[in-house]
Amino acid sequence: MSGFDDSRLGISGRVLARAHDEGRSALVTYLPVGYPAVEDSLRAFEALTDAGADLVEIGLPYSDPVLDGTVIQHATTKALRRGVRTRDAFRAAEVVAGAGGTALVMTYWNLIEQYGPERFARDLRDAGGAGVITPDLTPDEAEEWVAATDDTGLDRVFLIAPSSGDERIRMTMAACRGWVYATSVMGVTGTRSATSSAAPVIAHRARALDPGLPIGIGLGVSNADQAAEVAGYADAVIVGSALVGCLDSDGADLEHDLGRLRGLVGDLADGVRRGHA
């Protein structure tokens, strides 16, 4: 068995634990809802699940995405201009769940606060979502969110970074349910020609400080070889910008774009299996 603390895994963490028991890392894929348009994005989320993603991150577009790089910023700006709404993330969660997948929403805290934390948690749970990743919310400021996720049973995934001290890592991981998201670089999202040398360091530090929780590594992975490298030390490999890049902003040939998307997910899934330590 995985050796993780089952009482802390929640729905999404158990997906990662099952992958571990199968002798592989898990593949976590990200796309923003509403890009190129809402209906197109729903088909893309279904394609991610069908092509082999273990977890699907549904990005909720925001007007001030401080963590996102240019590819995701471009996509989310387009989605906002085309009228995407918070409730569309719940529609996407329903699509992923209907395809047999496991979905989490990735969103900045302001959008949850505007919607209402209790209402957001309840509506996502009712749509079949497993949890939420909040990149700009720290556990020491998350009392309201912890209460809402405890009431609904949703997973809550916080972030750690290479600059995080040991006590911050312990506190953050203790507040998570599901898994912890470890950023492998200092900076914003985006594809890179090589994975970060800081990635294995933050993964090993986090595992040594709290071995009971799975660790996902994100920021920078764009191809199967990089996925294989990260899978050698992480329980989950997170890919976003490279997948967004498969979709043309005008959606002129969606079938072609979905084919590219499925092909890349398939390659990445092969990579995480090939690279597992």
Side-chain angles (χ1 to χ4, degrees):
M1 299 297 289
S2 65
F4 299 124
D5 182 351
D6 187 68
S7 68
R8 302 167 61 196
L9 291 179
I11 297 171
S12 61
R14 290 190 180 94
V15 173
L16 271 58
R18 284 196 298 271
H20 185 281
D21 289 342
E22 293 170 4
R24 63 181 181 88
S25 294
L27 175 63
V28 181
T29 58
Y30 166 95
L31 286 176
V33 66
Y35 181 79
V38 172
E39 298 302 323
D40 295 342
S41 70
L42 297 181
R43 292 192 60 193
F45 286 119
E46 186 173 27
L48 293 177
T49 304
D50 291 343
D54 294 292
L55 294 178
V56 174
E57 289 183 26
I58 300 164
L60 191 50
Y62 181 50
S63 57
D64 187 23
V66 294
L67 186 67
D68 298 329
T70 55
V71 172
I72 293 176
Q73 284 190 20
H74 170 79
T76 56
T77 298
K78 289 279 189 181
L80 288 168
R81 288 175 179 170
R82 292 168 182 171
V84 69
R85 296 290 182 267
T86 296
R87 61 180 177 271
D88 293 319
F90 307 139
R91 293 181 61 197
E94 289 178 341
V95 167
V96 173
T102 303
L104 299 96
V105 170
M106 186 169 190
T107 178
Y108 292 93
W109 173 246
N110 188 49
L111 294 176
I112 297 177
E113 193 170 40
Q114 289 180 359
Y115 194 87
E118 292 182 2
R119 179 185 172 210
F120 190 101
R122 182 182 64 249
D123 288 355
L124 179 57
R125 177 203 61 194
D126 292 347
V132 183
I133 303 164
T134 48
D136 63 338
L137 181 67
T138 58
D140 42 346
E141 298 177 343
E143 182 178 354
E144 190 175 10
W145 183 236
V146 168
T149 50
D150 281 348
D151 287 344
T152 54
L154 286 181
D155 297 346
R156 51 179 179 263
V157 178
F158 296 111
L159 273 66
I160 57 175
S163 60
S164 300
D166 287 356
E167 188 55 37
R168 171 61 61 173
I169 291 174
R170 286 193 190 95
M171 185 264 286
T172 301
M173 294 180 73
C176 290
R177 179 165 54 237
W179 48 288
V180 66
Y181 190 128
T183 61
S184 63
V185 294
M186 297 299 294
V188 299
T189 61
T191 60
R192 291 172 171 80
S193 59
T195 58
S196 167
S197 60
V201 176
I202 185 64
H204 292 319
R205 285 180 64 207
R207 185 167 290 113
L209 291 166
D210 187 348
L213 200 69
I215 300 162
I217 289 283
L219 304 185
V221 174
S222 62
N223 58 53
D225 287 341
Q226 290 175 346
E229 180 182 347
V230 174
Y233 50 80
D235 303 301
V237 180
I238 306 164
V239 185
S241 296
L243 299 172
V244 176
C246 292
L247 303 175
D248 189 80
S249 62
D250 61 11
D253 192 350
L254 185 63
E255 294 303 327
H256 174 265
D257 292 349
L258 293 177
R260 293 175 60 199
L261 188 67
R262 293 187 186 97
L264 180 54
V265 172
D267 288 345
L268 292 166
D270 289 342
V272 298
R273 286 167 171 79
R274 169 162 50 91
H276 186 71

